[in-house]
Amino acid sequence: METLIKEITAQSIEEAVKILKNGGIIGMPTETVYGLAGAGTMPEAVKKIYAAKGRPSDNPLIAHVHESYDISRLVYIEHKYIRELIKAYMPGPLTLVMKSRGVICKEAVCGGDTLAVRMPSHKGCRALLKAADMPLVAPSANISKHTSPVTAQQVYEDMHGKIPLILDGGKCTGGIESTVLDVTEQVPRILRAGLITKEMIEKITGACEIAQHKEGDKVRSPGVKYRHYRPACETALYAADDIGGVLKRYDEECAAGKRAYIMCSDEAAKNFPGKNLLPLGGTGEEIASNLYDMLLKGEKVADIIIAVDMPREDGVYLGITNRLRKACG
Ligand code: AMP
Ligand code: MG
């Protein structure tokens, strides 16, 4: 199968919708990362998504809808605070896990009784969802365990030959996947950290928990237990204050003839003048936005990425450190 990358136009959206309505799957941009999308009510489309990714069959998909779509058709909205969260942060990088009405096929939710729903804010994605006028289930558009793509070209590299069309909506601005929030209980619980932070959720709901995944626990959000986000080259992760360790490793790798690159924030980069760098930026938002892009650029030029961990875990840094440690730890 030939895989075409097309800019988002009325015509390419029309083509995409036709593919989706026929049970096909496509690459689509969102504000977080690129998704691999199919019709949420069509088991054959969902099976294609799992096959193209090599995704474990117990890891459910998120249903994406336009903000004008009435999500009570898909899920039971059991708590008052859910409407308030939707008003405050959707469309945006927030995914809500609610009790499913069973409209989205069981293949997409791995037989579970809940459904994760999200309303992307990306302009091109919203135009697609509006035109399709149906929920699209979509995981990140990478081969399972590889780094999630943030450009159409990066989708192409993992998915060419497997899907007919990738809609090109530019580089994703968010850069890490949505916050996944379980809202089935009285107090919401973060299953996966992202750009909508615990602090932002608490502002609306008063309280918010963070799910702790310990060895042997029954996992509420199956995706978090897997090794994830890994670039194709070797990686090493050093603590934020271990500057000496980073420099020693860099020199050792270079002496062994390896192409070593240090991936770190602008702040940390001040310690590594003259070294090969994969710069992540200054603010938390910049670092999130550049993280996967630098991992995917890094795997092309480096034999080893030596990553420097973040010195904090508050706000968006929780989502960043979570990915960074899985990708490079
Ligand atoms: P991805 O599609 O690659 O962004 O991954 C989706 C994430 O959402 C994974 O961590 C899934 O485990 C999680 N997820 C999707 N549906 C559900 C659900 N019904 N309950 C809990 N977590 C979910
Ligand atoms: Mg993913």
Side-chain angles (χ1 to χ4, degrees), residues 7 40 45 82 118 120 165 168 175 185 200 215 217 222 225 233 244 257 263 268 303 305 327:
E7 296 245 327
I82 297 176
R118 162 163 142 69
L165 177 65
D168 187 349
E185 308 280 343
M200 290 165 73
E215 208 69 46
D217 278 0
K225 77 182 175 197
C233 63
M263 189 177 76
D303 295 310
I305 295 174

Side-chain angles (χ1 to χ4, degrees), residues 87 117 136 173 194 227 232:
K87 199 165 153 215
V117 181
L136 299 180
T173 50
R227 249 192 124 110

Side-chain angles (χ1 to χ4, degrees), residues 115-310:
L115 176 69
V117 181
R118 162 163 142 69
M119 299 171 191
S121 64
H122 185 284
K123 195 164 161 249
C125 184
R126 288 172 54 232
L128 172 69
L129 289 166
K130 182 93 182 158
D133 193 28
M134 62 178 175
L136 299 180
V137 289
S140 50
N142 51 284
I143 289 175
S144 195
K145 300 180 183 61
H146 190 214
T147 312
S148 308
V150 293
T151 67
Q153 185 57 36
Q154 289 165 357
V155 177
Y156 182 85
E157 280 165 29
D158 272 18
M159 291 298 155
H160 67 89
K162 299 182 177 180
I163 59 177
L165 177 65
I166 301 165
L167 291 178
D168 187 349
K171 184 176 175 241
C172 305
T173 50
I176 58 174
E177 296 87 347
S178 61
T179 303
V180 178
L181 189 69
D182 180 347
V183 294
T184 58
E185 308 280 343
Q186 220 31 269
V187 175
R189 207 151 57 100
I190 294 176
L191 303 178
R192 176 176 75 186
L195 292 175
I196 303 295
T197 63
K198 178 175 191 280
E199 294 80 358
M200 290 165 73
I201 294 162
E202 277 171 341
K203 218 187 255 178
I204 306 296
T205 64
C208 174
E209 293 169 359
I210 296 178
Q212 303 293 337
H213 305 280
K214 294 194 294 301
E215 208 69 46
D217 278 0
K218 186 176 178 300
V219 186
R220 274 290 263 172
S221 194
V224 298
K225 77 182 175 197
Y226 292 107
R227 249 192 124 110
H228 251 335
Y229 320 121
R230 300 198 69 88
C233 63
E234 211 186 312
T235 59
L237 180 66
Y238 284 79
D241 58 2
D242 191 7
I243 304 302
V246 173
L247 286 168
K248 183 164 173 281
R249 181 68 177 269
Y250 183 90
D251 288 342
E252 282 168 6
E253 297 290 347
C254 291
K258 297 258 190 77
R259 294 170 301 167
Y261 277 73
I262 300 170
M263 189 177 76
C264 63
S265 68
D266 290 353
E267 187 56 34
K270 292 175 188 160
N271 298 297
F272 311 117
K275 310 293 181 201
N276 294 329
L277 288 181
L278 295 166
L280 291 173
T283 66
E285 283 72 18
E286 281 170 14
I287 293 168
S289 175
N290 292 324
L291 180 61
Y292 292 155
D293 198 39
M294 282 301 148
L295 287 168
L296 290 169
K297 285 190 170 131
E299 71 177 23
K300 290 205 148 70
V301 295
D303 295 310
I304 180 166
I305 295 174
I306 302 169
V308 184
D309 205 355
M310 298 297 143

